[in-house]
């Protein structure tokens, strides 16, 4: 698997911290994110209750749950989605093919403005009334930047 470059504009010196709505689950990443993506697939919409879901990827070796851990739901043969068992907040995505990283829902970061989004994926499932005018690359399914099997079977 090809290692993705560290995101430009990210600040690797300060840790990235965040957690769920109620505070039962908290996390910290000590390195800059690998990449950021906005997913428009129906599974991410259902998981988050939002019209799209932004994820940021952190290296697993630089990531830790500092208070509690999310409960996981196996959403496909190749992926699990994490959420807080107490408040239901969407927290994470764990794809078997990307075992070297943890994908965190951007909205759970204490400072989401620090991250950079690289592209939009699964735009073939994007809700027609949702318009995001950002000039980022868009892919009908997965981005070629990372391997994925999460949607090969439902």
């Amino acid at each position: 698997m090809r290692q993705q470059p560290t995101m430009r504009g990210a600040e690797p010196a300060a840790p990235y911290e965040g957690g769920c709505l109620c505070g039962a689950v908290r996390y910290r990443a000590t390195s800059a994110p690998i990449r950021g993506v906005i997913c428009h697939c129906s599974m991410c919409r259902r998981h988050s209750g939002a019209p799209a879901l932004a994820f940021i990827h952190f290296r697993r070796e630089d990531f830790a749950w500092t208070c509690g851990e999310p409960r996981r739901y196996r959403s496909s043969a190749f992926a699990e989605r994490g959420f807080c068992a107490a408040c239901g907040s969407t927290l994470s995505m764990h794809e078997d093919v990307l075992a070297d990283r943890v994908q965190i829902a951007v909205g759970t970061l204490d400072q989401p403005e620090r991250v950079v989004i690289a592209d939009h994926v699964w735009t073939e499932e994007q809700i027609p009334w949702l318009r995001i005018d950002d000039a980022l690359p868009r892919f009908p399914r997965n981005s070629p930047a990372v391997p994925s099997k999460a949607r090969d079977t439902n």
Side-chain angles (χ1 to χ4, degrees):
M1 174 174 32
R2 190 182 88 184
Q3 180 70 20
Q4 295 297 312
T6 300
M7 295 173 49
R8 283 178 273 163
E11 302 169 21
Y16 289 78
E17 297 180 318
C20 67
L21 181 62
C22 73
V25 179
R26 297 282 302 165
Y27 60 81
R28 173 181 289 146
T30 56
S31 65
I34 299 168
R35 74 181 250 98
V37 62
I38 297 174
C39 185
H40 296 271
C41 82
S42 61
M43 292 175 75
C44 281
R45 286 198 313 267
R46 288 184 183 274
H47 180 56
S48 67
L53 182 53
F55 284 107
I56 201 76
H57 297 212
F58 290 108
R59 293 181 350 169
R60 180 173 298 285
E61 64 199 41
D62 300 330
F63 182 89
W65 301 105
T66 59
C67 178
E69 284 197 27
R71 187 162 184 187
R72 290 190 186 188
Y73 169 73
R74 179 144 304 264
S75 57
S76 75
F78 305 103
E80 294 181 332
R81 295 170 183 268
F83 62 95
C84 174
C87 69
S89 293
T90 297
L91 290 164
S92 58
M93 174 82 156
H94 309 269
E95 292 184 70
D96 297 345
V97 73
L98 297 174
D100 65 331
R101 61 186 72 186
V102 177
Q103 299 171 58
I104 293 296
V106 170
T108 67
L109 286 162
D110 292 343
Q111 297 176 305
E113 67 278 4
R114 291 179 61 200
V115 302
V116 176
I117 299 297
D119 53 36
H120 293 260
V121 297
W122 284 92
T123 58
E124 72 181 21
E125 294 185 10
Q126 183 173 337
I127 296 173
W129 51 256
L130 179 64
R131 300 279 187 250
I132 301 174
D133 184 22
D134 60 16
L136 291 175
R138 284 163 164 70
F139 299 96
R141 290 191 170 216
N142 295 312
S143 165
V146 293
S148 180
K149 290 185 178 182
R151 292 293 307 258
D152 285 352
T153 61
N154 289 327

